[in-house]
Structure formats: C-alpha cells, structure tokens
Amino acid sequence: MSLELIVNPAAGGGRAGRALPEVRAALDELGLEYRVELTRDLEHARALARAAAESGATAVAFGGDGLIGAVAGEVSRQGGVLGLLPGGRGNDFARMLGIPLKPGPACAVLRDGREAALDLGVVDGQTFIGIASCGFDSDANRIANETRLIRGHLVYAYGMLRALAGWRPASFTLELDGGEPRTFRGYSVAAANSRYYGGGMMIAPGASLTDGQLEIVLIHDVPRWRYLLLAPTVFRGAHVNQPTVEVIRAATARISASRPFTIYADGDPVAELPVTVGVKPRAVRVLVP
C-alpha cells in the first residue's frame, strides 16, 4: 500500500509540523511506503488528494478537521481511500472514529485498519466530514480562528466566551427535507454528520456517519448566564435534555437568518447564509480502527 501524506504543517498551531518527524519514524518502523506533500491551502490539498487517488495511493490527511473534510471530498469524487492522522487543535473526527491522537498508534491504523464507507456532509456543494453550524457558532469560530495566543482545544472555549459577551439572539428559518418553513429565535443551528466539534463538545450525541441523515441541533433563546451554565454539559451530550435544545433528523436543511452569518464547517468558513446543507450517504471509504 502506498500512502500520500497531505500535511498542513501549520495545523494546531504548528502541531502537525512538529509531529511530522515522529510520524515519519512510525511509518518507517511499520514498513509503509509513503510520500509527504506540504499543503499551501485547502485548494492545494484537494489537488494533491485528486492526484493521489488517481495514482491509486491512499490519501492521508494530516492536520485538522478542515483539511480532512477537503481531502475527503476529493477522494470521494475519485473513488479513492482516505486515511487520517490527527494534527489539528480539536481532532474531533479522529475522536469520532476512535483513532488515537499519538502518532505511533495513529499510523498503525493506516496499516492495520479496515475500510468503512462513511457519509459526507455538503454545504452548497462543498463537502465536510463533521458539523456545519451558524449563528453564535459563527462568531465563536471566527474568534477562535483569529486567536494566536491560545493553543490547543482551549481556543474554542475562549472563542465561546468572547462571542457570548457581545451576542444578540437572531431569528433562524429552516426548511427540512423540503417541508414548510419554520422559524425560531435563538443562538445557533448545527447540522451534524458527526457527534463532535470544538475539541470534544458532543453537540449531536445521536449523530451517525452511516445513516444518511443529519442531526439538526437548535439552541433556542435563553439568557446569557443560562447559556454559560448549559455550555459544560455539551461535553457529555447532556444539553439535549434541556427544553431550550431541540434535535431534529433530516437529510437536507435550508437555513436562513434575520441577519448575516457565515456558516462554518469543520471549523472553517464555507458560505454566507442562506445555505442548503445535505448529506451524501456512504460517499467516502475511510481507514478506521
């Protein structure tokens, strides 16, 4: 098996770049054939993934969830196989799949893992692997992405606290599976293909990567102090038991809002509302433990 490592050396505040020598050593010890390509941006990563799939190599995304989502979309279009090595700040997709965070055990999955056909999310034609969200999450993600002083998954907590200080509720309108529009006032809409985002927040505890559905999680309006108390429960998925949190299952969701928001998918800005979010069932083959 030949591997094409598509590496974002700046991911996770440089975590992927610092871990690359250890990854190389682990791959050598496992006797795997590989080549390393450093990405300039996500479009470059897609081009590298396309070339890898066309050559018959396994495209291995080594970076954050945004890189994995970009590579996964291209691998899916080419009918190739995706591998991944956690190298970002949150590593939420690796968490969902049970892939170890340490380089040695993660590399072993590339040799010993099995192929699983997994769903991909789509926002206006652009693929993602985890969660697409907007509203309060738009502000929190923007702040987290702009922050340089805080590293690791704590940057998401920082982004949330900073966003909460200036937050004003908005009205969101959804059309689910082509049904009648419904409007609610609140904080955010998350369309979840996977369970986790933001470095371990289990925003959608019932989400599955193989059911051809999204979990649409709506956070209704509450005072900011109550939202702050609710936030820690997200790490164990207990927030869905609150009356201000609503979970709906759908294959497509058209989302608009009363004021402009950017929708973020896998932690990266994707499009401006209104958008249509959907799912491509069993669209990509991934090496999993």
Side-chain angles (χ1 to χ4, degrees):
M1 175 175 60
S2 176
L3 306 175
E4 182 97 1
L5 264 65
I6 301 169
V7 185
N8 177 4
R15 180 179 185 272
R18 292 191 299 273
L20 185 55
E22 190 175 349
V23 165
R24 285 181 181 269
L27 293 173
D28 289 338
E29 186 175 343
L30 291 165
L32 292 171
E33 178 186 343
Y34 66 93
R35 186 172 68 174
V36 173
E37 295 282 0
L38 304 182
T39 67
R40 297 187 297 270
D41 50 38
L42 291 184
E43 197 54 45
H44 183 217
R46 292 186 183 97
L48 293 171
R50 183 166 57 252
E54 288 174 349
S55 72
T58 296
V60 179
F62 182 19
D65 286 349
L67 176 69
I68 295 169
V71 172
E74 200 59 48
V75 167
S76 171
R77 280 186 282 273
Q78 301 299 324
V81 178
L82 171 70
L84 63 107
L85 294 172
R89 292 181 296 188
N91 299 311
D92 288 301
F93 196 58
R95 180 176 289 105
M96 179 71 176
L97 296 181
I99 292 175
L101 297 184
K102 292 186 177 180
C107 288
V109 175
L110 300 177
R111 186 190 66 179
D112 304 328
R114 60 181 178 85
E115 289 184 17
L118 305 181
D119 299 345
L120 284 177
V122 186
V123 179
D124 284 354
Q126 184 164 318
T127 58
F128 65 95
I129 44 92
I131 293 171
S133 60
C134 58
F136 177 78
D137 288 1
S138 305
D139 294 352
N141 268 300
R142 175 184 53 78
I143 293 168
N145 287 350
E146 291 173 352
T147 299
R148 296 293 177 264
L149 297 178
I150 301 174
R151 294 185 176 183
H153 66 276
L154 290 177
V155 72
Y156 298 109
Y158 172 79
M160 183 198 73
L161 292 172
R162 282 280 310 277
L164 191 61
W167 172 251
R168 294 179 294 111
S171 292
F172 300 90
T173 299
L174 291 87
E175 298 173 40
L176 303 178
D177 292 335
E180 290 297 315
R182 55 160 298 186
T183 299
F184 79 100
R185 183 172 175 80
Y187 279 75
S188 60
V189 179
N193 183 48
S194 182
R195 294 175 189 165
Y196 300 97
Y197 74 169
M201 298 181 190
M202 196 190 302
I203 186 68
S208 167
L209 292 167
T210 57
D211 64 354
Q213 295 276 298
L214 298 168
E215 281 214 340
I216 314 297
V217 183
L218 315 181
I219 310 295
H220 291 257
D221 192 20
V222 293
R224 278 180 287 186
W225 66 265
R226 190 172 174 189
Y227 185 93
L228 190 60
L229 291 177
L230 177 68
T233 69
V234 178
F235 285 94
R236 60 181 190 275
H239 64 293
V240 298
N241 299 321
Q242 298 295 320
T244 54
V245 178
E246 185 178 358
V247 181
I248 311 164
R249 296 177 65 78
T252 63
R254 179 73 174 170
I255 307 169
S256 57
S258 58
R259 64 175 188 265
F261 284 111
T262 301
I263 190 164
Y264 280 69
D266 300 329
D268 289 327
V270 175
E272 301 300 313
L273 265 56
V275 298
T276 298
V277 187
V279 63
K280 298 171 67 176
R282 307 291 181 109
V284 61
R285 291 181 291 151
V286 184
L287 292 174
V288 301

